[in-house]
Amino acid sequence: MRSNNPVLNRLDETGRVEARVLGTRDVEAMTVDDVVVRTVGLLLVTVVAAAVSWAVVPEAAWLPAALAGSALASIVLVLVISLRGITNPVPIVAYAVLQGLLLGVASRAFELIYPGIVAQAVAGTFGVFLGMAALYRARVIRATPRLARLVIGTLLGIAVLSVVNLVSYLVSGRPGLATYSASGEVGWLAYAFSVVAIIAGAFSFILDFDLVERSVRDGRPRRYAWLSAFGLITGLVFLYWQLLRLLSYLRR
């Protein structure tokens, strides 16, 4: 079965090509520990960058720009890294730093208006991640081709709609499917969009876990652990954004 993860969807193809090129050459294979170490490292980079921006950036003045910039930067970097199958840690770490800086700005703004919301979003993010990991390990949910098509199609739809919504917001000032401010009225479409995004983000972890497992089993080179870690950290950041936004909707 081909790669199921929209972020890592070139890993299978590039891995097979590389295997044919390398032949029997001795190449150190990636392990689950390699992926865990790199994922934790990227997470720490993101958290440190967020803490710096939280402490330095004043009040909530940059919130709309932070959210808009995060969306655009995420889309560009994710597309470049995933479509080109980049395993160089430099752009991957740069993504973690950029996301951390923007997360810190937005999180502090939300926290000023809704005390405790950041802790709730963080707890929810890791709760969903660990829950999906447990379900995958117990084989309650499997990464079937049908699930892969459904999740990938949903995430691609969310990405396209997010870009359209963001452009519309920048031009007209009307939020539409997602609200980029920390306060104000929220329509039912915004609620529905957030819930769908959270569900899709949760199920994307199943595809991540499956691809990592198969990559280790197939003995792919160790450098691919960076790409696997990038997929996981992208999912965590995406889920945090969606939970933070939905929690703010519920508390308005």
Side-chain angles (χ1 to χ4, degrees):
M1 184 170 61
R2 291 176 61 81
S3 172
N4 296 325
N5 188 318
V7 175
L8 306 176
N9 59 3
R10 290 180 59 87
L11 185 56
D12 282 341
E13 179 183 350
T14 55
R16 284 193 294 269
V17 172
E18 187 172 83
R20 289 197 296 269
V21 173
L22 293 176
T24 59
R25 188 185 305 174
D26 184 23
V27 178
E28 189 173 2
M30 65 178 279
T31 65
V32 173
D33 288 342
D34 292 331
V35 178
V36 171
V37 169
R38 285 157 179 75
T39 302
V40 172
L42 290 174
L43 186 60
L44 289 176
V45 169
T46 304
V47 170
V48 170
V52 171
S53 64
W54 179 299
V56 172
V57 178
E59 299 301 327
W62 290 8
L63 177 60
L67 294 175
S70 174
L72 293 176
S74 296
I75 291 171
V76 172
L77 281 174
V78 167
L79 287 176
V80 170
I81 293 174
S82 60
L83 293 179
R84 299 191 62 181
I86 295 175
T87 56
N88 187 324
V90 174
I92 294 175
V93 173
Y95 168 84
V97 172
L98 177 60
Q99 280 296 327
L101 294 174
L102 295 170
L103 280 171
V105 174
S107 296
R108 184 169 186 268
F110 278 105
E111 185 70 18
L112 288 172
I113 300 174
Y114 310 107
I117 193 172
V118 171
Q120 293 173 348
V122 170
T125 299
F126 286 101
V128 171
F129 177 81
L130 294 175
M132 299 308 289
L135 291 174
Y136 178 79
R137 184 174 180 82
R139 303 304 183 190
V140 174
I141 302 178
R142 296 177 179 272
T144 63
R146 178 177 296 181
L147 177 65
R149 289 193 295 269
L150 179 61
V151 174
I152 291 171
T154 303
L155 288 174
L156 289 176
I158 290 171
V160 172
L161 289 174
S162 295
V163 172
V164 173
N165 189 77
L166 178 60
V167 173
S168 175
Y169 169 75
L170 294 175
V171 173
S172 66
R174 298 178 180 177
L177 292 174
T179 300
Y180 297 100
S181 65
S183 60
E185 294 184 1
V186 180
W188 69 268
L189 276 176
Y191 280 100
F193 188 73
S194 290
V195 171
V196 171
I198 289 170
I199 294 173
F203 276 91
S204 72
F205 290 129
I206 299 297
L207 308 186
D208 288 344
F209 300 146
D210 174 70
L211 186 54
V212 171
E213 185 178 57
R214 290 187 294 110
S215 298
V216 171
R217 183 178 64 240
D218 295 342
R220 294 212 169 90
R222 191 175 189 180
R223 62 190 180 86
Y224 280 98
W226 279 108
L227 193 57
S228 298
F230 172 73
L232 291 170
I233 202 69
T234 299
L236 288 169
V237 169
F238 173 80
L239 186 60
Y240 173 82
W241 276 118
Q242 301 305 322
L243 284 171
L244 186 68
R245 181 177 288 133
L246 180 60
L247 288 170
S248 76
Y249 293 169
L250 296 172
R251 295 180 61 175
R252 296 185 186 196

